[in-house]
């Protein structure tokens, strides 16, 4: 089988696993919005999401061995496409028309990018100085994005996407350097870059958990956009990867990126429809009111255990 096809197949399965992990993290964050890291470590649901992320990351690592960053990373956008119906099903609602439209645009855009990005299996790696420079610049940018302030969800999601994209680029260096038989498997380059991968992968996971406190759509869309952007910059500038087709291929890639970006924006803006209150059950309407509402006065609620109590008649 063609190496790029193997990379695409592995990336698809990885995207589904990442989507399941994102939905699990978002549900955990919504139930415990103020939970700290130590409290999360004692939660079984947290470790299930970590296991899903680890499985997806392993598939992603293998995909990077067969395909270039410019192919593997754009497929990460399918995480959002898979997470939308998963989240809708768990929330007991249907996927909206806007969400389906965003899904279609994202898939069309990814298809255009894949046509121009398809290339040979990767054979170039980052040197130790290049890896350290990339890690240092990324850490500084993450520090700026994750500083205390307004709208921490979107900023933490951007930082998480950058961390994950850089971890993918560094992972490709580790896998290629460890399997090309040009040097020892546990060389200084392999071990050092592997430690950087572990640090950025763990940081990206914790940053995404913080980001999902504001919901799933917007933060996951930011992660989806920032991840391939960071990896593509590294692949095109430092690893010698190129787009196929010359100027026409560049235009097609730009058009695909625009379509995919618009699809992601639609998916991030699509808010779940509020659950309607059944008109045939007035008690449900009363319970849905804010505390202190005039229509929720306890004097108007019947007391089944006090036969002598009469509720005022209404006309």
């Amino acid at each position: 089988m063609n190496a790029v096809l193997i990379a695409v197949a592995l990336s698809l399965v990885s995207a589904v696993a990442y989507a399941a992990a994102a939905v699990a993290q978002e549900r955990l964050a919504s139930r415990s919005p103020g939970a700290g890291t130590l409290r999360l470590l004692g939660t079984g649901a947290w470790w299930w999401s970590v296991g899903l992320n680890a499985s997806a990351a392993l598939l992603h690592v293998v995909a990077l061995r067969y395909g270039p960053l410019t192919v593997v990373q754009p497929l990460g956008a399918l995480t959002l496409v898979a997470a939308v119906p998963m989240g809708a099903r768990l929330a007991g609602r249907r996927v909206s028309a806007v969400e389906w439209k965003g899904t279609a645009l994202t898939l069309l855009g990814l298809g255009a990018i894949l046509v121009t990005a398809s290339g040979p299996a990767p054979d170039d790696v980052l040197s130790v100085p290049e890896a350290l420079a990339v890690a240092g610049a990324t850490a500084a940018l993450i520090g700026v994005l994750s500083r205390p302030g307004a709208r921490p969800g979107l900023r933490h999601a951007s930082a998480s996407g950058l961390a994950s994209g850089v971890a993918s680029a560094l992972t490709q260096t580790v896998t290629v350097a460890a399997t090309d038989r040009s040097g020892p498997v546990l060389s200084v380059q392999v071990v050092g870059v592997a430690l950087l991968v572990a640090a950025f992968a763990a940081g990206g996971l914790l940053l995404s958990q913080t980001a999902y406190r504001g919901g799933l759509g917007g933060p996951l869309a930011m992660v989806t956009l920032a991840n391939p952007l960071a990896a593509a910059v590294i692949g095109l500038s430092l690893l010698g990867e190129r787009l196929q087709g010359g100027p026409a291929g560049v235009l097609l890639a730009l058009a695909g990126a625009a379509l995919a970006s618009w699809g992601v924006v639609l998916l991030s803006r699509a808010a779940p429809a509020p659950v309607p209150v059944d008109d045939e059950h007035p008690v449900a309407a009363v319970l849905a009111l804010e505390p202190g509402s005039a229509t929720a006065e306890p004097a108007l609620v019947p007391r089944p255990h006090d036969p002598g109590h009469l509720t005022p008649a209404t006309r």
Side-chain angles (χ1 to χ4, degrees):
M1 184 184 292
N2 184 276
V4 174
L5 292 180
I6 295 176
V8 170
L10 291 171
S11 298
L12 292 178
V13 181
S14 175
V16 173
Y18 273 129
V23 173
Q25 284 184 271
E26 188 273 335
R27 291 178 66 82
L28 179 61
S30 64
R31 289 197 301 265
S32 305
T37 303
L38 292 179
R39 185 176 177 182
L40 288 175
L41 293 177
T43 306
W46 161 255
W47 287 109
W48 273 109
S49 68
V50 170
L52 286 170
N53 269 299
S55 300
L58 181 61
L59 292 168
H60 189 74
V61 167
V62 180
L64 286 172
R65 180 63 186 89
Y66 289 97
L69 280 170
T70 48
V71 170
V72 175
Q73 290 305 118
L75 288 171
L78 293 177
T79 297
L80 182 61
V81 176
V84 168
M86 283 186 187
R89 182 173 180 82
L90 289 176
R93 64 179 181 86
R94 294 182 178 180
V95 180
S96 67
V98 174
E99 290 172 320
W100 283 125
K101 182 179 179 181
T103 299
L105 290 174
T106 303
L107 290 175
L108 286 174
L110 284 173
I113 293 174
L114 286 174
V115 169
T116 60
S118 299
D123 56 5
D124 199 3
V125 296
L126 295 174
S127 65
V128 174
E130 287 175 337
L132 291 176
V134 168
T138 305
L141 185 55
I142 289 175
V144 172
L145 290 172
S146 59
R147 72 187 187 282
R151 300 183 66 83
L154 294 180
R155 288 191 291 102
H156 281 75
S158 300
S160 175
L162 289 176
S164 300
V166 171
S168 296
L170 297 176
T171 297
Q172 188 176 71
T173 291
V174 172
T175 55
V176 173
T179 58
D180 63 1
R181 299 181 181 179
S182 61
V185 175
L186 297 179
S187 63
V188 175
Q189 181 187 30
V190 172
V191 174
V193 177
L195 292 175
L196 291 176
V197 169
F200 279 109
L205 180 63
L206 294 176
L207 286 166
S208 65
Q209 182 65 58
T210 301
Y212 292 145
R213 293 175 183 174
L216 180 65
L220 185 55
M222 290 299 297
V223 172
T224 302
L225 288 173
N227 188 319
L229 177 62
V233 168
I234 295 173
L236 294 173
S237 62
L238 297 176
L239 296 178
E241 297 182 2
R242 295 290 182 268
L243 297 177
Q244 309 297 314
V250 173
L251 291 177
L252 181 59
L254 291 175
L259 279 177
S261 299
W262 181 238
V264 170
V265 169
L266 289 179
L267 286 171
S268 67
R269 289 179 176 176
V275 179
V277 176
D278 193 344
D279 293 335
E280 296 180 358
H281 299 280
V283 175
V286 172
L287 294 177
L289 294 172
E290 293 291 335
S293 174
T295 56
E297 288 292 336
L300 298 180
V301 179
R303 299 178 183 175
H305 298 293
D306 186 4
H309 177 76
L310 298 177
T311 304
T314 57
R315 295 181 181 179

